[in-house]
Amino acid sequence: MDETPMNFDMVGNRTVHPKGAKTILIKTTGHEKSSFTVVLACRADGAKLRPMIIFKRKTMPKLKFPVGCFVHVHEKGWMDEEGVKLWLDNVWSRRPGGLIQKRSLLVWDMFRAHLTPSTKQRLARINTDAAVIPAGLTSLVQPLDVCLNKPFKDRIREQWNEWMVSGEKSFTKGGNMRAPQLDVLCKFVIKAWNDIDAETVIKSFKKCGISNSLDGMEDDYLWQDEEKPEAETTPSDTELDPYDDCLTNVPQDVIDLLMISDDEQEDFEGF
């Protein structure tokens, strides 16, 4: 399980243009710094749990969200202790086989909401053991970080580009293009997650040494390098990630202050 921040505008940092141009215009809706959170989780057998999407709002929008995701709202658009509780109740406990509460192992990082006493008590009640990845090691032993987040975000960006070219849009009275509607973003997330095949998920666990056979016959997965191009950075990739395990010891009020965007308002409730 892993939380990852996403932006309403998923602009890449590459374009095709005649050499020597001093200015290159990239069309966006102007919401490159407006973000939401996607919570992804999968199993070692290749099954993927439905994504949880957290939007920055104070109230649940009056929209009909597509089937296949669990939507939550938070005034800052982040995961917190209450969000973890909702995820455990509505996603983890409802995974295939989750209702019988067979003893299970949940691998996640040291994000502070994962480590609270109430979270540990809830895990115990649903017969789940937590394996906490030490700070600084998620890039090595977290399947989503190592193998899955990049192709997931690439697929999201492809859909956003298609929407910018030919999708249905709305405009403000001043003629400014609005960001994609929340239900449209949910569809982006669902499709991108569904497009990750089961074999890739299975290999991601073996790549991180979590589900390899005990006889050592699958240890080669640990040393296999994915022959894929490097991840394309986006504005969101270079900004502060509130879920970065390196921030484990940073006070929450400091993170809150750093994550406020230039155009953020206290009464902002979404688009």
Side-chain angles (χ1 to χ4, degrees):
M1 179 269 212
D2 190 34
E3 300 95 345
T4 185
M6 301 291 297
N7 285 43
F8 280 78
D9 276 350
M10 303 162 203
V11 185
N13 65 347
R14 298 176 185 174
T15 186
V16 177
H17 208 76
K19 185 177 180 180
K22 295 182 179 180
T23 302
I24 299 175
L25 298 178
I26 299 177
K27 188 175 182 180
T28 73
T29 69
H31 296 97
E32 296 89 347
K33 292 189 176 182
S34 299
S35 62
F36 60 100
T37 293
V38 176
V39 186
L40 299 176
C42 49
R43 304 192 319 187
D45 63 359
K48 293 169 292 185
L49 281 62
R50 62 174 176 159
M52 177 178 180
I53 305 172
I54 307 173
F55 290 117
K56 180 182 174 182
R57 290 180 60 95
K58 295 179 181 178
T59 59
M60 185 66 72
K62 296 179 180 179
L63 291 172
K64 184 177 181 180
F65 290 106
V67 176
C69 66
F70 176 71
V71 177
H72 174 50
V73 295
H74 182 274
E75 62 180 356
K76 293 186 179 295
W78 304 347
M79 177 67 98
D80 59 5
E81 187 174 351
E82 176 64 19
V84 171
K85 171 183 175 295
L86 290 172
W87 182 84
L88 289 172
D89 290 346
N90 293 278
V91 179
W92 177 251
S93 294
R94 298 187 183 185
R95 71 192 187 281
L99 293 178
I100 62 175
Q101 295 189 358
K102 183 179 179 180
R103 189 177 184 185
S104 303
L105 178 68
L106 176 60
V107 180
W108 56 13
D109 57 32
M110 293 187 67
F111 179 55
R112 66 192 70 222
H114 298 166
L115 308 177
T116 63
S118 65
T119 296
K120 294 178 181 178
Q121 292 170 7
R122 184 166 295 274
L123 288 171
R125 285 200 297 270
I126 58 178
N127 203 21
T128 296
D129 298 318
V132 180
I133 300 171
L137 295 181
T138 55
S139 62
L140 298 175
V141 294
Q142 163 64 281
L144 284 152
D145 275 355
V146 173
C147 299
L148 304 178
N149 280 347
K150 179 194 178 307
F152 170 74
K153 290 187 175 184
D154 286 346
R155 287 164 171 78
I156 291 276
R157 189 176 297 111
E158 289 173 2
Q159 294 180 78
W160 179 83
N161 285 330
E162 292 176 2
W163 179 84
M164 284 295 295
V165 172
S166 58
E168 183 178 346
K169 305 175 185 67
S170 62
F171 297 83
T172 65
K173 292 181 179 179
N176 296 320
M177 187 189 304
R178 292 192 175 96
Q181 291 291 319
L182 303 188
D183 57 335
V184 173
L185 291 172
C186 288
K187 292 177 182 177
F188 288 175
V189 170
I190 293 170
K191 185 178 187 306
W193 190 226
N194 287 342
D195 284 348
I196 304 294
D197 61 87
E199 185 63 26
T200 300
V201 175
I202 293 171
K203 288 182 178 179
S204 72
F205 277 82
K206 297 183 185 299
K207 173 71 175 174
C208 294
I210 296 175
S211 61
N212 309 59
S213 60
L214 297 179
D215 60 8
M217 295 299 293
E218 295 179 330
D219 286 356
D220 286 349
Y221 281 102
L222 298 171
W223 321 116
Q224 289 179 0
D225 292 327
E226 297 292 329
E227 295 182 359
K228 295 181 180 179
E230 293 183 3
E232 180 180 0
T233 59
T234 66
S236 61
D237 295 329
T238 57
E239 294 171 359
L240 179 67
D241 180 354
Y243 307 109
D244 191 333
D245 56 10
C246 294
L247 299 176
T248 301
N249 297 320
V250 178
Q252 186 62 47
D253 57 342
V254 174
I255 297 177
D256 292 347
L257 181 62
L258 292 173
M259 286 300 295
I260 295 177
S261 61
D262 295 338
D263 58 352
E264 182 172 338
Q265 299 179 7
E266 290 298 322
D267 59 350
F268 176 73
E269 293 193 3
F271 302 96

